[in-house]
Amino acid sequence: MNFHSDHVVGAHPKVMEALVAANQGSVPSYGNDPVSAALEEDLAVLFGREVRVFMTPTGTAANALSLAALTPRWGAIYAHSEAHVEMDECAAPEFYTGGAKLSLVPGDHGRMDLDQLAARLAAAPRGFVHAAQPAAITLTQATEAGTVYTPDQVRRAGAIAREQGVRLHMDGARFANACVHLGVAPAEITWDAGVDVLSFGSAKNGTLGAEAVVVFDPELAEAMGYLRKRAGLLIPKMRFLSAQFRAYLAGDLWLSLAGHANAMATRLAHGLQSLPGVSLAHPVEANELFVDLAEPAVAALEKAGAGFYRWAEPAPGAVRIRLVTSWATDPAEVDRFLDHASIAAVHGRR
């Protein structure tokens, strides 16, 4: 019953098979290999347009490099107040941009309030040497609250970016989960909605570690190449990252795996909502749940061996926990957790 993260499970067998296949023979290094070239073609087909692709080993690297390509050192990056770039990346965006400022915008359920975003950008002091200059917006899809931005919301953010002369980045660590929930083509919530650069994650959904920076604006591609090398992230044996991602995309495996993870989260949510004293803090739209329980119930679940993170204390005597499902979550594991949660919920109300 390990629901700590979608990183706790291994890689999908098809990804491992692709790595073994890529381990044959000798090919050019640093991404100049046939596997990496084929991946760029795969992603061009997936998004329905020409793209440039820069593979990195981690999501933090993908986000930081993307924002560095979009933002000068004196720039401001507008992000949700609880975005991954703010809470969980140890100032990597600030470091790789050379000191750009994260400007935080609140919003319910992990989504930026787009009206506030538009107002903040409109009021920004342009040309004022004492203030960081607006440069980029970053959306997290799916969000850190387990919700998603709808196509209309992404288009609105894209329109705001164009009106205000800034770039739009998408942190897609759980992009597959968002696509499955929305039932849309990837283009509809990326370049067609105004996204300039996508950090397309896969490590949370079945690979060992392969994150694709997908650049939709060719003007940004040259800078991205140099930034990646300067950061020490140009992997010599790039074929092993590209091979993982090709296997991830083949036959829509990425959507199948995300669909399973989402379904397991929904199964958990339905079971938990029926229990006394249990409530969900956010809508469940991807593969993360945030659940409010009494402290005794949380302690009972921990004692039973359930794995999760204590996230917050929404009220005296209550604990908010985070549960994350994955492509490998067994339905029996979910049901076992729900059985323990049922007992714990009763115990927590005594």
Side-chain angles (χ1 to χ4, degrees):
M1 297 185 293
N2 191 340
F3 299 102
H4 277 108
S5 172
D6 33 15
H7 274 315
V8 301
V9 298
H12 190 273
K14 290 184 178 179
V15 171
M16 300 303 292
E17 291 169 8
L19 281 169
V20 171
N23 198 38
Q24 309 301 314
S26 60
V27 299
S29 52
Y30 298 110
N32 297 308
D33 58 273
V35 180
S36 296
L39 172 60
E40 193 158 87
E41 293 177 6
D42 292 345
L43 284 165
V45 171
L46 182 69
F47 286 99
R49 61 166 292 162
E50 183 178 348
V51 297
R52 290 295 311 279
V53 180
F54 300 85
M55 296 303 297
T56 70
T58 72
T60 294
N63 285 337
L65 290 176
S66 297
L67 293 171
L70 301 178
T71 313
R73 287 170 289 181
W74 55 89
I77 300 162
Y78 291 77
H80 188 270
S81 53
E82 296 180 3
H84 201 269
V85 293
E86 163 66 8
M87 304 296 289
D88 295 289
E89 294 187 350
C90 196
E94 294 92 330
F95 177 77
Y96 280 102
T97 57
K101 177 183 178 63
L102 286 181
S103 185
L104 304 179
V105 180
D108 294 337
H109 304 305
R111 292 179 285 245
M112 269 194 290
D113 183 315
L114 298 180
D115 289 335
Q116 287 200 43
L117 172 66
R120 289 272 297 279
L121 279 163
R126 312 293 177 112
F128 182 54
V129 74
H130 299 282
Q133 297 297 291
I137 301 165
T138 179
L139 302 179
T140 309
Q141 182 77 305
T143 74
E144 293 300 293
T147 58
V148 304
Y149 287 93
T150 66
D152 285 345
Q153 288 169 329
V154 180
R155 281 193 290 272
R156 171 91 192 283
I160 292 169
R162 288 191 300 275
E163 290 166 5
Q164 297 298 328
V166 302
R167 297 287 197 166
L168 181 59
H169 165 254
M170 179 171 283
D171 173 359
R174 295 186 175 94
F175 184 68
N177 304 90
C179 286
V180 168
H181 175 77
L182 294 168
V184 299
E188 192 173 341
I189 51 171
T190 54
W191 67 266
D192 196 40
V195 174
D196 295 296
V197 179
L198 166 69
S199 300
F200 190 167
S202 69
K204 295 181 185 293
N205 194 39
T207 70
L208 288 178
E211 312 290 300
V213 175
V214 183
V215 180
F216 300 111
D217 185 343
E219 292 182 3
L220 300 169
E222 183 178 4
M224 188 69 72
Y226 289 112
L227 286 165
R228 182 175 61 169
K229 175 60 179 177
R230 183 175 179 269
L233 293 166
L234 179 59
I235 307 300
K237 297 183 180 181
M238 191 68 73
R239 58 176 158 164
F240 292 108
L241 272 65
S242 300
Q244 291 181 67
F245 217 92
R246 290 206 75 203
Y248 181 61
L249 297 177
D252 285 339
L253 179 64
W254 66 295
L255 295 174
S256 175
L257 299 182
H260 177 79
N262 286 10
M264 293 300 96
T266 299
R267 188 182 185 117
L268 266 176
H270 286 167
L272 289 168
Q273 283 179 309
S274 67
L275 301 179
V278 178
S279 61
L280 300 180
H282 306 293
V284 178
E285 297 176 350
N287 67 319
E288 292 182 281
L289 299 85
F290 294 83
V291 186
D292 293 347
L293 299 143
E295 166 61 40
V298 174
L301 283 168
E302 291 171 331
K303 186 176 180 180
F308 48 80
Y309 283 117
R310 289 173 173 250
W311 209 252
E313 294 182 1
V319 178
R320 179 167 297 164
I321 65 172
R322 187 188 78 162
L323 304 169
V324 186
T325 54
S326 78
W327 68 269
T329 298
D330 190 328
E333 184 181 6
V334 171
D335 293 342
R336 190 162 66 253
F337 179 87
L338 290 173
D339 287 343
H340 285 290
S342 179
I343 297 168
V346 173
H347 179 72
R349 289 172 64 86
R350 289 177 181 170

